[in-house]
Each structure stands twice: as structure tokens, then as C-alpha cells.
Amino acid sequence: MRTAALLAAVAAALLTLDAWLPHALNPYYLTILSRIGVAALAAASLQLVNGFTGQFSIGHAGFMAVGAYVSAALSVYLGAGWLAALSSWLPLPLARSLYFPLPLLAGGLAAALAGLVVGIPALRLRGDYLAIATLGFGEIIRIAILNVDAVGGARGFSLASPAHPGLDLRYESVAAIYAVVLLSILVIARLVYATGGLAFRAVREEETAAESVGIATTRVKVEAFVVSSFFAGVAGALFAHSEGYIHTNSFSFLRSFEIVVFVVLGGLGSLSGAVLAAAVLTAAPELLRGLGEWRMILYSLLLIVMMLVRPEGLMGRRELVPGWLRSRAGGVRAAP
């Protein structure tokens, strides 16, 4: 009952914000809010691999690219027709709400499949070798997409259907984006803080000891990698449908490195820390834009000072609401 009431309150708050924000903020700030949501989901998904399982993946943007391009291609080549058919029977806002989960799910599943293909060979490696392997696979994915003309190739890909030129396929609802982000983070929290999540942390703390007590460490790492890739794909699909245009430059190594920074700065093993760091570091360059060339210098100094003052990250391994997470996840205590 309490959970249902909490979810209802969150839904009401999101709908209220969605109705109020377009009148209170200009489209530029709404775009920043959308990007913060995407960054938070990307950081939380990578936290599962880097923070909770103790691996070091730096190719996460490649899985975001898979989710973004698969979902965008689905919307342009198939979904536009489905949405047009739905809107002939239902009001367009309702038709959009019913259609929107489909490209998200398609992008997530495609990224999960890519994660499985990459993870089975790569996760037999450890440490620096794993980092290099995931970086290489991430770049392979990006370059492969760059050479597929059906999704725009080097021109980029716009969410505009030739068969339905008047139909806007973008989905810019801040409430919908944050509802997806919150639900995804809750699923990840449920996974890592439930009893079964102890296997991830056992692999993180001492892989050899985990193997000695019967944990199939390679399977656990692959599972974490696939789930992480799924939510990275969902983040990519959100990015594609909120922006309306995607290019492989948005999913380069720098993007992967940025997500790693969110995870490390927030604290390895803290979902709320990763989300907080993603929000701060996504907003900071835009809020400092008035400083011109100095903004990136100040941004870099902020990162340096933070890592000197708090080398364990903003939250360490703590959560902002550990008791609530434990009650939702079967009582397993978060690491101190």
C-alpha cells in the first residue's frame, strides 16, 4: 500500500511538473533537463558493471548508440505508421504515450544482445585488458553504424518518416523521460540490493574467493554486462527521441569516458552517487556557458578538486536512502 501511494505521488508530481515546466522554462533548459535524465540512467547502468561487479568497462557509449539507432530506425520505418494508425483512433498525446515504450524496449533489447555478444568473450579478461577490449568493441559498434546508410551514415539520422512527413516522432515530455529513468533505476537497485545481488559484490571484492565458494563468476559478469547494456540502450533510445536527431559523434569514446567519470565521481557502488554526479556534471558546462572559454577550465578544476577532497567519490558506497532501498530489495544491507 505504501509503495502504491509513493508511486502515485511520484506520478502526480511528474505530471504536474510536465504541465508547469514548459511555461516556466524555455526549451533550452528543458533540453538540459532531458539530457540530465539520460545521463543519470547511463551512469546508473554502468554502475552495475563498474561499481557493483568491480569490472572496468569504458565502451558504454557504444551500447547507447545501438539503442539510439535501433529505436530511431524502428520509429522512422515502422513506428510512424503505427503511430499514425493509433492517432486516427485516439488523441495524439495518448497515442504517443502508448507507442513510446515500444522503441525504448526495442533499443534496450538490441543493446542487451550486443552486450551479450561483446560480454561473453570480453569478460573472460580482467583489469586493463577488459577496459581495452570494451573500448575497442564500443568503437567497432560506432564505426559500424557510421557505415550503415539506412540510418544516415555520416550524415546522421533524423527522426522524420518519409512516409509520414507531418508526424513528429520526437517525445519531449520531461515527465515521461524521468518516469522511465526512475523505473529503470529502481529495477537496478532491486537487482543489486536483493539477496541475488550479493553475487555481484562477491565478484567485486574477490573474484578468486567467489569462484572457490561456487559462484560462476564469468556468468555473473556477463549477466551484469547484459543488464547494464539493456539500460544503456534505453538511455540511448531516450536520447534519440528527445533530441530528434542522432549522430555517431554523440557516442564517441569521449561520451564513454564521461559516463565513467559520473560513476567514479559519484562513488563506485552508489547508485544515488552516480545519479547525483551525472546531474551536476551535465548541468555544470551549460550553467557556466556565460563564462566563455573559462567554463571548461573551471569544469576541469571542479573534477580535480573533487577527486582530491573526496577520492572515494561523492557518496562512496553509501546511498541517499539506504533504508528505503533495503526495504524494497528484501533486506540486504547496502555496503557502508
Side-chain angles (χ1 to χ4, degrees):
M1 183 65 70
R2 291 176 58 189
T3 301
L6 179 61
L7 290 176
V10 170
L14 288 173
L15 289 173
T16 302
L17 281 175
D18 203 40
W20 173 74
L21 283 175
H23 302 288
L25 299 175
N26 63 42
Y28 172 71
Y29 290 110
L30 291 176
T31 300
I32 294 175
L33 282 177
S34 299
R35 291 179 178 177
I36 288 173
V38 172
L41 179 52
S45 64
L46 184 61
Q47 186 72 272
L48 178 58
V49 173
N50 285 26
F52 290 103
T53 315
Q55 308 308 300
F56 189 46
S57 171
I58 52 175
H60 213 53
F63 303 108
M64 285 185 67
V66 172
Y69 275 91
V70 168
S71 66
L74 175 67
S75 290
V76 168
Y77 294 119
L78 293 175
W82 300 341
L83 183 57
L86 272 176
S87 61
S88 66
W89 293 91
L90 300 170
L92 185 58
L94 179 58
R96 286 182 181 279
S97 298
L98 292 174
Y99 167 74
F100 187 51
L102 294 178
L104 298 185
L105 184 60
L109 290 174
L113 179 60
L116 180 64
V117 172
V118 171
I120 289 174
L123 289 170
R124 297 181 183 277
L125 304 172
R126 299 183 185 183
D128 297 341
Y129 300 103
L130 174 60
I132 294 169
T134 54
L135 171 61
F137 278 118
E139 286 298 293
I140 288 170
I141 291 171
R142 188 179 70 86
I143 298 301
I145 294 172
L146 189 62
N147 287 279
V148 177
D149 196 57
V151 290
R155 301 185 306 275
F157 194 46
S158 178
L159 267 76
S161 174
H164 302 274
L167 188 63
D168 188 3
L169 295 173
R170 293 179 301 167
Y171 200 81
E172 299 173 297
S173 167
V174 174
I177 291 171
Y178 276 87
V180 172
V181 171
L182 287 173
L183 179 61
S184 300
I185 292 174
L186 283 175
V187 171
I188 296 171
R190 172 69 181 178
L191 179 64
V192 298
Y193 288 120
T195 304
L198 291 171
F200 297 122
R201 281 171 277 172
V203 171
R204 177 187 68 192
E205 298 301 333
E206 179 52 64
E207 190 169 335
T208 303
E211 287 179 343
S212 71
V213 296
I215 295 175
T217 56
T218 299
R219 180 179 60 80
V220 168
K221 290 189 289 184
V222 171
E223 286 176 356
F225 202 75
V226 169
V227 174
S228 175
S229 299
F230 174 85
F231 286 110
V234 172
L238 283 175
F239 178 80
H241 284 78
S242 62
E243 297 286 329
Y245 171 82
I246 49 176
H247 194 282
T248 52
N249 288 346
S250 299
F251 307 103
S252 65
F253 163 70
L254 292 177
R255 179 64 168 164
S256 292
F257 181 73
E258 184 181 54
I259 301 170
V260 172
V261 170
F262 295 158
V263 171
V264 174
L265 187 63
L268 288 169
S270 171
L271 286 172
S272 50
V275 170
L276 182 61
V280 171
L281 296 183
T282 302
E286 304 302 331
L287 296 177
L288 296 173
R289 190 172 292 277
L291 299 176
E293 296 177 355
W294 289 97
R295 71 186 180 96
M296 294 312 295
I297 296 175
L298 290 176
Y299 177 79
S300 302
L301 286 174
L302 172 66
L303 292 178
I304 293 170
V305 170
M306 187 64 224
M307 295 315 297
L308 288 174
V309 175
R310 294 278 298 177
E312 71 278 18
L314 289 170
M315 299 296 298
R317 292 183 179 174
R318 297 185 300 275
E319 299 288 357
L320 288 175
V321 280
W324 178 81
L325 280 173
R326 289 198 301 273
S327 67
R328 299 280 74 78
V332 175
R333 188 177 188 277

